[in-house]
Amino acid sequence: MSQGETNIPTLLSAMDPMLDPETYVFLTTTTPLNSLPLHTLQPQMIFQESEGLTLITTKAIAETHNYDNYTFPCRKISLKVHSSLEAVGLIATISTNLAADGISTNVVSGFFHDHVFVPEGREGDAMRVLVGMMHGES
């Protein structure tokens, strides 16, 4: 199985960002992982921290499960290019370009792809920046 691309110019030119239609949120819980209804929470990510679990799920699902402690309503932009987890500088380059436009980012790297969560309402601006980066604009 291929471990993904590491060349930054290749990654940038082939990232092909895709905007997800859902609004996502970050939430935290101290409920043990094995007690969570993962089949209905449908988390995009689960990360264990010393204070509890961080989950990313849709805003609608969080509200359905009565999680009112969510934060950062955001949109997910997935990069279609298969990036290596060992690629050096891709996320820094993307974050720097989005930051120059005043767009905060929370990035999750999966085995195959990177996913950039940007504030709801800024997704159009973020897509413009990312597509521009694909075409060599910065």
Side-chain angles (χ1 to χ4, degrees), residues 80-114:
K80 288 194 215 174
V81 67
H82 180 186
S83 56
S84 170
L85 289 166
E86 296 176 1
V88 176
L90 176 64
I91 300 308
T93 302
I94 289 170
S95 295
T96 298
N97 278 271
L98 290 171
D101 235 48
I103 302 169
S104 67
T105 60
N106 285 284
V107 180
V108 173
S109 295
F111 188 91
F112 293 102
H113 307 283
D114 296 296

XYZ file of all heavy atoms in Angstrom, residues 80-114:
251
model
N -8.113 16.006 -1.421
C -8.225 14.703 -2.077
C -6.894 14.006 -2.313
O -6.840 12.801 -2.452
C -8.969 14.837 -3.403
C -10.449 15.088 -3.256
C -11.112 14.864 -4.592
C -12.255 15.769 -4.860
N -12.755 15.604 -6.219
N -5.801 14.770 -2.343
C -4.493 14.166 -2.601
C -4.121 13.237 -1.446
O -4.398 13.532 -0.282
C -3.411 15.253 -2.824
C -3.142 16.048 -1.565
C -2.137 14.646 -3.378
N -3.514 12.094 -1.772
C -3.058 11.146 -0.744
C -1.716 11.627 -0.223
O -0.675 11.371 -0.825
C -2.952 9.737 -1.332
C -2.493 8.711 -0.334
N -2.227 7.419 -0.699
C -2.248 8.770 0.992
C -1.841 6.725 0.363
N -1.836 7.534 1.401
N -1.763 12.314 0.894
C -0.545 12.868 1.481
C 0.043 11.889 2.483
O -0.678 11.185 3.178
C -0.860 14.194 2.179
O -1.880 14.009 3.143
N 1.347 11.856 2.538
C 2.044 11.028 3.513
C 1.949 11.681 4.883
O 2.028 12.911 5.008
C 3.510 10.882 3.122
O 4.239 10.280 4.171
N 1.827 10.855 5.908
C 1.864 11.380 7.272
C 3.247 11.931 7.611
O 3.406 12.648 8.591
C 1.463 10.285 8.272
C -0.025 9.929 8.226
C -0.278 8.628 8.965
C -0.870 11.048 8.796
N 4.228 11.637 6.778
C 5.592 12.116 7.000
C 5.948 13.313 6.118
O 7.098 13.777 6.132
C 6.577 10.974 6.764
C 6.380 9.850 7.773
C 7.275 8.650 7.527
O 8.081 8.675 6.573
O 7.156 7.695 8.294
N 4.979 13.831 5.366
C 5.241 15.012 4.534
C 5.578 16.193 5.441
O 4.879 16.452 6.421
C 4.032 15.328 3.664
N 6.643 16.898 5.109
C 7.107 18.020 5.929
C 6.697 19.330 5.276
O 7.110 19.628 4.157
C 8.649 17.974 6.100
C 9.140 19.194 6.875
C 9.055 16.686 6.788
N 5.864 20.107 5.962
C 5.551 21.456 5.524
C 4.204 21.682 4.875
O 3.815 22.830 4.667
N 3.466 20.637 4.537
C 2.171 20.839 3.867
C 1.214 21.623 4.751
O 0.672 22.650 4.339
C 1.549 19.502 3.461
C 0.142 19.608 2.844
C 0.188 20.385 1.527
C -0.461 18.225 2.643
N 1.009 21.154 5.960
C 0.054 21.816 6.854
C 0.533 23.214 7.211
O -0.263 24.159 7.274
C -0.191 20.963 8.116
C -0.763 19.590 7.727
C -1.113 21.677 9.095
C -1.982 19.633 6.821
N 1.829 23.385 7.418
C 2.374 24.713 7.719
C 2.121 25.677 6.570
O 1.728 26.830 6.782
C 3.870 24.615 8.012
N 2.319 25.208 5.348
C 2.103 26.059 4.173
C 0.629 26.447 4.054
O 0.299 27.621 3.837
C 2.575 25.331 2.896
O 3.957 25.001 3.045
C 2.382 26.198 1.666
N -0.250 25.478 4.205
C -1.691 25.743 4.115
C -2.123 26.689 5.230
O -2.817 27.683 4.987
C -2.475 24.418 4.159
C -2.278 23.654 2.848
C -3.962 24.663 4.425
C -2.801 22.236 2.873
N -1.715 26.393 6.465
C -2.114 27.225 7.608
C -1.604 28.652 7.470
O -2.323 29.605 7.788
C -1.590 26.617 8.913
O -2.202 25.377 9.148
N -0.375 28.805 6.987
C 0.207 30.139 6.800
C -0.595 30.940 5.779
O -0.901 32.118 6.002
C 1.679 30.034 6.367
O 2.398 29.374 7.406
C 2.281 31.397 6.094
N -0.958 30.318 4.669
C -1.726 31.012 3.641
C -3.131 31.354 4.122
O -3.645 32.446 3.838
C -1.783 30.179 2.358
C -0.545 30.340 1.515
O -0.453 31.216 0.678
N 0.442 29.492 1.761
N -3.764 30.460 4.852
C -5.099 30.753 5.383
C -5.019 31.819 6.475
O -5.870 32.708 6.538
C -5.766 29.476 5.892
C -6.165 28.485 4.794
C -6.624 27.160 5.395
C -7.251 29.058 3.889
N -3.983 31.764 7.311
C -3.803 32.767 8.364
C -3.611 34.158 7.769
O -4.087 35.150 8.324
C -2.619 32.402 9.253
N -2.929 34.233 6.625
C -2.724 35.529 5.962
C -4.051 36.154 5.555
O -4.151 37.369 5.405
C -1.818 35.353 4.740
N -5.078 35.320 5.406
C -6.425 35.791 5.081
C -7.291 35.890 6.333
O -8.504 36.082 6.239
C -7.070 34.829 4.074
C -7.554 35.525 2.818
O -6.800 36.315 2.232
O -8.709 35.277 2.454
N -6.694 35.700 7.519
C -7.431 35.795 8.775
C -8.324 34.596 9.047
O -9.317 34.717 9.774
N -7.980 33.443 8.494
C -8.808 32.246 8.655
C -8.098 31.275 9.590
O -6.999 30.795 9.289
C -9.065 31.563 7.295
C -9.735 32.540 6.327
C -9.915 30.308 7.472
C -9.788 32.049 4.887
N -8.727 30.975 10.726
C -8.150 29.994 11.641
C -8.393 28.592 11.091
O -9.325 28.364 10.320
C -8.763 30.121 13.040
O -10.120 29.757 13.015
N -7.529 27.663 11.465
C -7.654 26.298 10.977
C -7.446 25.304 12.112
O -6.669 25.548 13.032
C -6.603 25.975 9.896
O -5.305 26.136 10.448
C -6.760 26.850 8.682
N -8.153 24.227 12.040
C -7.912 23.053 12.871
C -7.786 21.915 11.877
O -8.723 21.625 11.135
C -9.058 22.818 13.849
C -9.014 23.816 14.989
O -8.202 23.688 15.876
N -9.861 24.827 14.913
N -6.619 21.298 11.844
C -6.322 20.298 10.826
C -6.259 18.913 11.456
O -5.656 18.729 12.517
C -4.982 20.606 10.121
C -4.672 19.566 9.065
C -5.017 22.002 9.514
N -6.884 17.968 10.791
C -6.829 16.566 11.191
C -6.228 15.805 10.016
O -6.687 15.928 8.881
C -8.235 16.015 11.512
C -8.187 14.529 11.764
C -8.841 16.755 12.691
N -5.194 15.041 10.307
C -4.582 14.218 9.272
C -5.023 12.779 9.463
O -4.805 12.195 10.531
C -3.060 14.300 9.342
O -2.636 15.613 9.040
N -5.660 12.235 8.433
C -5.996 10.826 8.428
C -4.907 10.058 7.706
O -3.925 10.640 7.237
N -5.055 8.752 7.584
C -4.052 7.933 6.913
C -3.862 8.369 5.467
O -2.752 8.422 4.970
C -4.452 6.450 6.962
C -3.381 5.528 6.449
C -2.436 5.002 7.314
C -3.299 5.203 5.103
C -1.434 4.158 6.850
C -2.301 4.365 4.618
C -1.370 3.837 5.498
N -4.950 8.694 4.782
C -4.891 9.024 3.364
C -4.929 10.524 3.065
O -4.318 10.974 2.112
C -6.051 8.357 2.609
C -5.950 6.861 2.585
C -6.722 6.093 3.436
C -5.069 6.221 1.723
C -6.629 4.709 3.424
C -4.972 4.842 1.702
C -5.754 4.079 2.559
N -5.686 11.284 3.850
C -5.945 12.680 3.497
C -5.852 13.594 4.711
O -6.000 13.166 5.848
C -7.343 12.825 2.882
C -7.593 11.899 1.748
N -7.088 12.116 0.489
C -8.282 10.736 1.677
C -7.463 11.132 -0.312
N -8.178 10.273 0.387
N -5.676 14.877 4.419
C -5.734 15.916 5.436
C -7.084 16.607 5.329
O -7.628 16.765 4.233
C -4.601 16.932 5.224
C -3.241 16.297 5.413
O -2.955 15.854 6.541
O -2.474 16.219 4.435
